[in-house]
Amino acid sequence: MVVDQIVGLSTYLVLPLVVFGYWLTMYDARIGGALAGWTLGVGVGLPTSNAVALGAGVALAGVFAAVAHHEARFGWAVVGGATGVLLGGFALGGVTTVAGAGAGLALAVVLGALAWKFPRGTLPLATGVLGALLVAAVFAAGSDGGGTLTNVATTAVVLGGFVALMLQPWTAELGDTVPPLLPLRVRNWFDLVPAGGVDDAVCPTCGEAVDPNAPYCGNCDASLAGIVGPADGAAAAGSAVDGAGATSTVTDVPDDAVAVDVPCPECGDRPIQEASTGVGLVGMLLAYRWSSRTVVGCHQCNRSRLWGLAGKNLLLGWWSIVSVFANPFTILWNLGRGSINRGPSTKLARTLAESGVDFQYLADASEFDASEYAEHELLKRGLLRLGVAVMLADGRADPTEAAAIRDNALELFPDATAGDLEARVQEYASGTTNAATVADGLSETLTSDGRKLALRFAAQVAVADGDVDDAEAELLSTVADALDLDDGAVQAAIGSGVSTEAAPDPSAAM
């Protein structure tokens, strides 16, 4: 009787497996291994008797926990392997015992290898399915089998996997103790990561602090190709360049702030006051194109751009089956968002920080003097950050590449001075630059031409010394990905970097 009750209570393990399986396994592989061993033992032993199931569960739980204690990856692998054994057994066990055993072993090898190599992509689904198979195994023990058992097992597996994929990315955020499953951009939307700027050596995938000189993140194994600096032998940055304040804390927006001390990229006369997101919609008969873009500037310019986007939607957004229903909402959104001046917000601060822009908050917009800044200041600072990141890809500040940053910036921004540009390059080279963060921030505010201009600027720095080495090529690829450009754009940018054609007009970039 006691044995039967213990085995019956096993079904309650479906909750930690389906909802917290990834977090439990990554937090302590011994826990995940023990749960997998218990589930496999119960599932295999139940067709014989509850006593055998209990004994097998206890034995395998101990063995799997011991394996995981030796090496965490072994624990991940046994979780995937246990899922494969039970999944194969349910799939073909009804045909013959040999077929079920063969399918189980084959799937165990495949899922175990995937969990070993790609734990973040495999463990959520594996633990969700494992929990579902535990319920199916208990049900099978009291069932006559047949089509009903097959339907129950299939339904349980599908539901378990679906629920796990929906919930485990969020439960993985418990305490920031395991590599996250949600993309960094989604985590930023919900403020799940500490706010950081381009000076922060944080992983572009999981947001955890990293060694900028390491090739991979120690938390999630993601490539750190986009994080460089400081240059070998670089001294600490001196006083701030004239007109630039220290980078403000992204999440700390003063209550009395009405603007930041960076000129509006549209008019250049007023300070930036807000970051607004507009929605574009174009109907194309049976298809439609949906896009969103963050515009940064003063309220007057942002309102004009968002209302202009609403006008485009009014003309082009009706011409498909889906968009005819969605278009009224996009028009109302753009009109409403353009009418309200929200002032400086966390979104604005994060967008500026991720674009490589140093800024300070202003309590009075009349304090702002646009004459202190060069034209296209927002774009200029972001491009300088990208250029410095490429220059430091090999760990040193090459004078030829530093001169290329200055000369190409002067071509794009003739109102800037060589001294100001050289001072900024030296300042940025003395610290860490997260190029992927800069490019990702620029991608939200730049037009398609602007993103190509940013990649072209980076490529011009890479080819300045006559050779694009592997580190620079990988960095350019990382920047292109963050700018939503493909590998073909990288080759085109390298080609344009060695051409003598005139630089694009920065006015078309934002």
Side-chain angles (χ1 to χ4, degrees):
M1 180 65 70
V2 175
V3 172
D4 295 340
Q5 290 178 342
I6 293 176
V7 173
L9 290 174
S10 296
T11 55
Y12 289 102
L13 289 177
V14 67
L15 180 62
L17 280 170
V18 173
V19 180
F20 303 99
Y22 170 79
W23 183 84
L24 288 170
T25 305
M26 295 298 287
Y27 178 73
D28 190 334
R30 293 170 296 186
I31 298 176
L35 288 174
W38 173 267
T39 303
L40 179 59
V42 171
V44 172
L46 270 176
T48 303
S49 69
N50 285 348
V52 172
L54 178 62
V58 171
L60 287 181
V63 171
F64 283 13
V67 169
H69 179 75
H70 177 72
E71 170 64 47
R73 284 189 180 272
F74 290 157
W76 306 344
V78 296
V79 171
T83 305
V85 170
L86 287 183
L87 192 58
F90 270 100
L92 296 181
V95 179
T96 64
T97 303
V98 174
L105 290 176
L107 284 175
V109 172
V110 172
L111 292 180
L114 288 174
W116 172 285
K117 183 66 176 177
F118 309 106
R120 297 171 68 218
T122 306
L123 288 178
L125 184 60
T127 54
V129 170
L130 190 62
L133 290 173
L134 178 61
V135 175
V138 174
F139 178 84
S143 170
D144 294 332
T148 301
L149 176 58
T150 302
N151 293 337
V152 169
T154 303
T155 302
V157 167
V158 172
L159 287 178
F162 177 77
V163 172
L165 292 178
M166 292 298 101
L167 294 183
Q168 290 200 30
W170 300 99
T171 58
E173 298 293 335
L174 293 172
D176 292 329
T177 54
V178 302
L181 295 170
L182 294 170
L184 186 58
R185 180 169 295 184
V186 175
R187 301 180 77 216
N188 284 335
W189 288 345
F190 292 93
D191 290 327
L192 296 175
V193 292
V198 294
D199 293 322
D200 299 322
V202 295
C203 174
T205 301
C206 68
E208 296 299 321
V210 296
D211 178 0
N213 297 314
Y216 299 100
C217 173
N219 187 48
C220 68
D221 294 330
S223 172
L224 301 180
I227 302 176
V228 297
D232 289 341
S239 58
V241 179
D242 290 342
T247 302
S248 299
T249 304
V250 172
T251 54
D252 184 19
V253 181
D255 294 335
D256 60 347
V258 297
V260 296
D261 65 339
V262 181
C264 170
E266 188 74 6
C267 67
D269 297 326
R270 293 178 291 269
I272 290 176
Q273 295 175 297
E274 60 177 346
S276 309
T277 300
V279 179
L281 185 62
V282 177
M284 298 176 287
L285 297 182
L286 298 179
Y288 64 93
R289 184 174 69 243
W290 179 287
S291 62
S292 65
R293 182 180 167 204
T294 299
V295 293
V296 174
C298 66
H299 176 60
Q300 292 91 326
C301 290
N302 278 10
R303 179 179 60 197
S304 176
R305 295 164 81 179
L306 289 178
W307 285 7
L309 187 57
K312 290 182 180 179
N313 290 359
L314 187 62
L315 292 176
L316 305 175
W318 306 101
W319 314 112
S320 79
I321 298 174
V322 174
S323 65
V324 71
F325 296 102
N327 199 38
F329 298 99
T330 69
I331 294 173
L332 291 174
W333 169 267
N334 290 330
L335 290 176
R337 185 64 191 86
S339 302
I340 301 172
N341 181 5
R342 295 177 58 191
S345 62
T346 299
K347 180 178 179 62
L348 171 63
R350 188 184 295 279
T351 300
L352 292 177
E354 290 181 351
S355 298
V357 177
D358 306 323
F359 64 94
Q360 289 181 328
Y361 294 106
L362 298 176
D364 184 357
S366 63
E367 298 175 359
F368 179 76
D369 184 3
S371 64
E372 296 181 4
Y373 300 89
E375 191 176 8
H376 307 299
E377 185 75 11
L378 185 68
L379 178 63
K380 182 188 74 176
R381 297 188 196 181
L383 294 186
L384 289 177
R385 282 282 192 178
L386 280 183
V388 169
V390 175
M391 178 181 69
L392 299 182
D394 57 2
R396 63 190 183 89
D398 185 274
T400 303
E401 293 178 332
I405 296 174
R406 178 200 62 206
D407 296 341
N408 289 318
L410 282 173
E411 183 182 2
L412 289 170
F413 314 105
D415 290 341
T417 65
D420 175 72
L421 295 174
E422 290 172 351
R424 283 198 178 276
V425 170
Q426 182 178 6
E427 178 189 356
Y428 295 158
S430 66
T432 300
T433 295
N434 192 327
T437 301
V438 177
D440 190 57
L442 288 173
S443 70
E444 292 192 15
T445 58
L446 297 182
T447 63
S448 176
D449 289 339
R451 295 195 299 273
K452 293 176 183 177
L453 171 62
L455 185 59
R456 180 183 189 269
F457 188 89
Q460 286 175 320
V461 179
V463 303
D465 59 358
D467 179 44
V468 179
D469 59 31
D470 292 341
E472 290 172 332
E474 185 177 6
L475 181 55
L476 288 177
S477 179
T478 299
V479 169
D481 288 341
L483 291 170
D484 293 327
L485 299 173
D486 56 26
D487 290 338
V490 175
Q491 298 303 318
I494 293 175
S496 66
V498 298
S499 70
T500 57
E501 64 182 22
D505 183 2
S507 299
M510 303 193 76

